[in-house]
Amino acid sequence: MNEAIPDLIACFQIRHGLFKKEVVEAQLFDLNQFGCVLKTDKVFNPGDTLQLELVMDMPIENIRAKGVSGLVTERRKHCSNFFYSIDFIKNDDGPNSTICDQLKRIRDIVRKKQSLRSRRSSGPSSSIRQLA
């Protein structure tokens, strides 16, 4: 994995017993229309399902995709953390169309940010360094 997607986190709850819940925030390292890759120190097994809330930090108002269901398909250990490949579970219900719209909006913004970042890193100053 290269680096985390800036300004984007996944939030989900883990149950500890009958009445106790823990809210976990995890960094995302990949996002596409089929799923995502997240990194956390919590342990899940392939086949587990998660209810995610993806939050894109924006200057005026954060973009949230609530109620995204995901299936853990792969787990890779890295130091004391795990990388999980999550496949989104799609339902053909009407309310999920708003989730799909929010996910598409988040993906578009991430793509634009990555494009700007790559242009900045390969801008005129880096071409001057290559000439030297």
Side-chain angles (χ1 to χ4, degrees):
M1 298 291 137
N2 293 338
E3 58 186 52
I5 298 172
D7 305 323
L8 182 62
I9 59 168
C11 300
F12 52 92
Q13 290 186 349
I14 297 177
R15 285 195 117 126
H16 295 289
L18 189 58
F19 299 109
K20 194 172 178 185
K21 293 181 183 178
E22 176 186 4
V23 175
V24 178
E25 291 185 358
Q27 294 178 315
L28 269 81
F29 283 76
D30 188 23
L31 177 68
N32 59 39
Q33 69 262 25
F34 304 111
C36 63
V37 174
L38 59 87
K39 178 182 176 183
T40 183
D41 61 347
K42 305 302 178 191
V43 179
F44 300 105
N45 295 313
D48 290 348
T49 57
L50 299 174
Q51 288 294 321
L52 302 172
E53 176 182 358
L54 300 181
V55 181
M56 174 65 106
D57 187 29
M58 298 296 284
I60 297 174
E61 183 179 342
N62 294 343
I63 303 170
R64 297 179 180 272
K66 294 182 180 182
V68 178
S69 296
L71 176 69
V72 177
T73 57
E74 183 181 355
R75 175 178 68 188
R76 286 169 289 186
K77 185 159 176 68
H78 182 269
C79 297
S80 62
N81 291 307
F82 295 94
F83 285 99
Y84 293 101
S85 295
I86 310 291
D87 286 351
F88 296 142
I89 301 170
K90 299 201 183 212
N91 295 332
D92 294 331
D93 297 348
N96 286 337
S97 65
T98 58
I99 294 171
C100 292
D101 292 343
Q102 292 297 334
L103 281 173
K104 184 179 182 322
R105 185 171 175 212
I106 289 172
R107 282 194 315 269
D108 290 343
I109 291 171
V110 166
R111 199 173 310 121
K112 287 176 186 175
K113 282 186 174 187
Q114 288 173 337
S115 173
L116 287 172
R117 177 184 270 175
S118 69
R119 275 193 248 159
R120 239 185 265 149
S121 66
S122 65
S125 61
S126 64
S127 63
I128 291 172
R129 280 186 241 136
Q130 289 175 352
L131 292 174

mmCIF file of all heavy atoms in Angstrom, residues 27-45:
data_model
loop_
_atom_site.group_PDB
_atom_site.id
_atom_site.type_symbol
_atom_site.label_atom_id
_atom_site.label_comp_id
_atom_site.label_asym_id
_atom_site.label_seq_id
_atom_site.Cartn_x
_atom_site.Cartn_y
_atom_site.Cartn_z
ATOM 1 N N GLN A 27 -8.203 4.602 8.389
ATOM 2 C CA GLN A 27 -7.763 5.265 7.171
ATOM 3 C C GLN A 27 -8.069 4.377 5.973
ATOM 4 O O GLN A 27 -7.965 3.155 6.045
ATOM 5 C CB GLN A 27 -6.267 5.515 7.221
ATOM 6 C CG GLN A 27 -5.846 6.485 8.284
ATOM 7 C CD GLN A 27 -4.338 6.636 8.303
ATOM 8 O OE1 GLN A 27 -3.609 5.664 8.242
ATOM 9 N NE2 GLN A 27 -3.881 7.876 8.374
ATOM 10 N N LEU A 28 -8.416 5.024 4.866
ATOM 11 C CA LEU A 28 -8.640 4.303 3.614
ATOM 12 C C LEU A 28 -7.428 4.450 2.719
ATOM 13 O O LEU A 28 -6.844 5.528 2.624
ATOM 14 C CB LEU A 28 -9.887 4.829 2.899
ATOM 15 C CG LEU A 28 -11.169 4.098 3.270
ATOM 16 C CD1 LEU A 28 -11.703 4.608 4.570
ATOM 17 C CD2 LEU A 28 -12.164 4.214 2.189
ATOM 18 N N PHE A 29 -7.062 3.355 2.057
ATOM 19 C CA PHE A 29 -5.906 3.344 1.186
ATOM 20 C C PHE A 29 -6.281 3.136 -0.267
ATOM 21 O O PHE A 29 -5.447 3.287 -1.146
ATOM 22 C CB PHE A 29 -4.913 2.265 1.630
ATOM 23 C CG PHE A 29 -4.135 2.686 2.837
ATOM 24 C CD1 PHE A 29 -4.713 2.682 4.091
ATOM 25 C CD2 PHE A 29 -2.834 3.119 2.714
ATOM 26 C CE1 PHE A 29 -4.003 3.090 5.199
ATOM 27 C CE2 PHE A 29 -2.112 3.525 3.813
ATOM 28 C CZ PHE A 29 -2.705 3.520 5.070
ATOM 29 N N ASP A 30 -7.513 2.763 -0.528
ATOM 30 C CA ASP A 30 -7.997 2.586 -1.894
ATOM 31 C C ASP A 30 -9.508 2.688 -1.850
ATOM 32 O O ASP A 30 -10.139 2.287 -0.868
ATOM 33 C CB ASP A 30 -7.564 1.229 -2.453
ATOM 34 C CG ASP A 30 -7.885 1.074 -3.924
ATOM 35 O OD1 ASP A 30 -8.024 2.105 -4.617
ATOM 36 O OD2 ASP A 30 -8.010 -0.062 -4.399
ATOM 37 N N LEU A 31 -10.090 3.233 -2.907
ATOM 38 C CA LEU A 31 -11.539 3.359 -3.001
ATOM 39 C C LEU A 31 -11.936 3.306 -4.462
ATOM 40 O O LEU A 31 -11.387 4.028 -5.288
ATOM 41 C CB LEU A 31 -12.012 4.681 -2.380
ATOM 42 C CG LEU A 31 -13.497 4.983 -2.459
ATOM 43 C CD1 LEU A 31 -14.293 4.013 -1.594
ATOM 44 C CD2 LEU A 31 -13.779 6.412 -2.026
ATOM 45 N N ASN A 32 -12.855 2.409 -4.789
ATOM 46 C CA ASN A 32 -13.421 2.355 -6.132
ATOM 47 C C ASN A 32 -14.894 2.000 -6.014
ATOM 48 O O ASN A 32 -15.420 1.905 -4.906
ATOM 49 C CB ASN A 32 -12.652 1.384 -7.048
ATOM 50 C CG ASN A 32 -12.634 -0.025 -6.511
ATOM 51 O OD1 ASN A 32 -13.609 -0.522 -5.961
ATOM 52 N ND2 ASN A 32 -11.502 -0.689 -6.660
ATOM 53 N N GLN A 33 -15.575 1.803 -7.143
ATOM 54 C CA GLN A 33 -17.011 1.556 -7.084
ATOM 55 C C GLN A 33 -17.350 0.191 -6.496
ATOM 56 O O GLN A 33 -18.479 -0.056 -6.105
ATOM 57 C CB GLN A 33 -17.671 1.720 -8.461
ATOM 58 C CG GLN A 33 -17.308 0.664 -9.462
ATOM 59 C CD GLN A 33 -16.206 1.105 -10.397
ATOM 60 O OE1 GLN A 33 -15.406 1.971 -10.071
ATOM 61 N NE2 GLN A 33 -16.165 0.506 -11.559
ATOM 62 N N PHE A 34 -16.372 -0.707 -6.416
ATOM 63 C CA PHE A 34 -16.636 -2.053 -5.915
ATOM 64 C C PHE A 34 -16.305 -2.230 -4.447
ATOM 65 O O PHE A 34 -16.827 -3.126 -3.790
ATOM 66 C CB PHE A 34 -15.853 -3.080 -6.733
ATOM 67 C CG PHE A 34 -16.131 -3.004 -8.196
ATOM 68 C CD1 PHE A 34 -15.159 -2.556 -9.070
ATOM 69 C CD2 PHE A 34 -17.371 -3.334 -8.706
ATOM 70 C CE1 PHE A 34 -15.410 -2.470 -10.423
ATOM 71 C CE2 PHE A 34 -17.646 -3.241 -10.057
ATOM 72 C CZ PHE A 34 -16.654 -2.811 -10.921
ATOM 73 N N GLY A 35 -15.410 -1.388 -3.904
ATOM 74 C CA GLY A 35 -15.022 -1.554 -2.514
ATOM 75 C C GLY A 35 -13.897 -0.617 -2.126
ATOM 76 O O GLY A 35 -13.620 0.376 -2.797
ATOM 77 N N CYS A 36 -13.238 -0.974 -1.018
ATOM 78 C CA CYS A 36 -12.168 -0.136 -0.503
ATOM 79 C C CYS A 36 -11.161 -1.003 0.251
ATOM 80 O O CYS A 36 -11.405 -2.181 0.504
ATOM 81 C CB CYS A 36 -12.723 0.955 0.407
ATOM 82 S SG CYS A 36 -13.557 0.344 1.888
ATOM 83 N N VAL A 37 -10.039 -0.388 0.606
ATOM 84 C CA VAL A 37 -9.038 -1.020 1.449
ATOM 85 C C VAL A 37 -8.851 -0.104 2.643
ATOM 86 O O VAL A 37 -8.603 1.090 2.486
ATOM 87 C CB VAL A 37 -7.694 -1.205 0.703
ATOM 88 C CG1 VAL A 37 -6.624 -1.733 1.645
ATOM 89 C CG2 VAL A 37 -7.870 -2.141 -0.474
ATOM 90 N N LEU A 38 -9.001 -0.650 3.846
ATOM 91 C CA LEU A 38 -8.813 0.159 5.041
ATOM 92 C C LEU A 38 -7.802 -0.487 5.961
ATOM 93 O O LEU A 38 -7.525 -1.683 5.877
ATOM 94 C CB LEU A 38 -10.133 0.442 5.748
ATOM 95 C CG LEU A 38 -11.019 -0.682 6.256
ATOM 96 C CD1 LEU A 38 -10.611 -1.100 7.643
ATOM 97 C CD2 LEU A 38 -12.446 -0.208 6.275
ATOM 98 N N LYS A 39 -7.240 0.329 6.849
ATOM 99 C CA LYS A 39 -6.203 -0.120 7.774
ATOM 100 C C LYS A 39 -6.645 0.165 9.195
ATOM 101 O O LYS A 39 -7.037 1.284 9.520
ATOM 102 C CB LYS A 39 -4.902 0.627 7.475
ATOM 103 C CG LYS A 39 -3.759 0.280 8.395
ATOM 104 C CD LYS A 39 -2.543 1.108 8.034
ATOM 105 C CE LYS A 39 -1.399 0.871 8.968
ATOM 106 N NZ LYS A 39 -0.254 1.736 8.637
ATOM 107 N N THR A 40 -6.602 -0.865 10.038
ATOM 108 C CA THR A 40 -6.969 -0.714 11.439
ATOM 109 C C THR A 40 -6.256 -1.779 12.259
ATOM 110 O O THR A 40 -5.747 -2.764 11.717
ATOM 111 C CB THR A 40 -8.501 -0.802 11.634
ATOM 112 O OG1 THR A 40 -8.805 -0.580 13.007
ATOM 113 C CG2 THR A 40 -9.043 -2.148 11.206
ATOM 114 N N ASP A 41 -6.242 -1.592 13.573
ATOM 115 C CA ASP A 41 -5.654 -2.596 14.449
ATOM 116 C C ASP A 41 -6.702 -3.585 14.976
ATOM 117 O O ASP A 41 -6.374 -4.503 15.706
ATOM 118 C CB ASP A 41 -4.923 -1.934 15.616
ATOM 119 C CG ASP A 41 -5.824 -1.086 16.485
ATOM 120 O OD1 ASP A 41 -6.962 -0.799 16.075
ATOM 121 O OD2 ASP A 41 -5.384 -0.679 17.578
ATOM 122 N N LYS A 42 -7.952 -3.404 14.588
ATOM 123 C CA LYS A 42 -9.026 -4.312 14.984
ATOM 124 C C LYS A 42 -8.968 -5.574 14.137
ATOM 125 O O LYS A 42 -8.573 -5.533 12.979
ATOM 126 C CB LYS A 42 -10.399 -3.654 14.849
ATOM 127 C CG LYS A 42 -10.525 -2.353 15.608
ATOM 128 C CD LYS A 42 -10.248 -2.545 17.080
ATOM 129 C CE LYS A 42 -10.328 -1.220 17.815
ATOM 130 N NZ LYS A 42 -9.828 -1.308 19.163
ATOM 131 N N VAL A 43 -9.388 -6.702 14.718
ATOM 132 C CA VAL A 43 -9.294 -7.983 14.019
ATOM 133 C C VAL A 43 -10.657 -8.399 13.477
ATOM 134 O O VAL A 43 -11.637 -8.472 14.213
ATOM 135 C CB VAL A 43 -8.755 -9.075 14.972
ATOM 136 C CG1 VAL A 43 -8.685 -10.413 14.261
ATOM 137 C CG2 VAL A 43 -7.388 -8.687 15.505
ATOM 138 N N PHE A 44 -10.695 -8.638 12.166
ATOM 139 C CA PHE A 44 -11.869 -9.174 11.480
ATOM 140 C C PHE A 44 -11.420 -10.375 10.665
ATOM 141 O O PHE A 44 -10.242 -10.515 10.336
ATOM 142 C CB PHE A 44 -12.497 -8.129 10.543
ATOM 143 C CG PHE A 44 -12.955 -6.893 11.238
ATOM 144 C CD1 PHE A 44 -12.234 -5.721 11.131
ATOM 145 C CD2 PHE A 44 -14.100 -6.896 12.011
ATOM 146 C CE1 PHE A 44 -12.647 -4.577 11.765
ATOM 147 C CE2 PHE A 44 -14.525 -5.750 12.655
ATOM 148 C CZ PHE A 44 -13.792 -4.589 12.537
ATOM 149 N N ASN A 45 -12.363 -11.208 10.312
ATOM 150 C CA ASN A 45 -12.078 -12.373 9.482
ATOM 151 C C ASN A 45 -12.757 -12.213 8.134
ATOM 152 O O ASN A 45 -13.808 -11.582 8.037
ATOM 153 C CB ASN A 45 -12.592 -13.645 10.161
ATOM 154 C CG ASN A 45 -11.854 -13.923 11.447
ATOM 155 O OD1 ASN A 45 -10.634 -13.864 11.487
ATOM 156 N ND2 ASN A 45 -12.586 -14.213 12.508
#
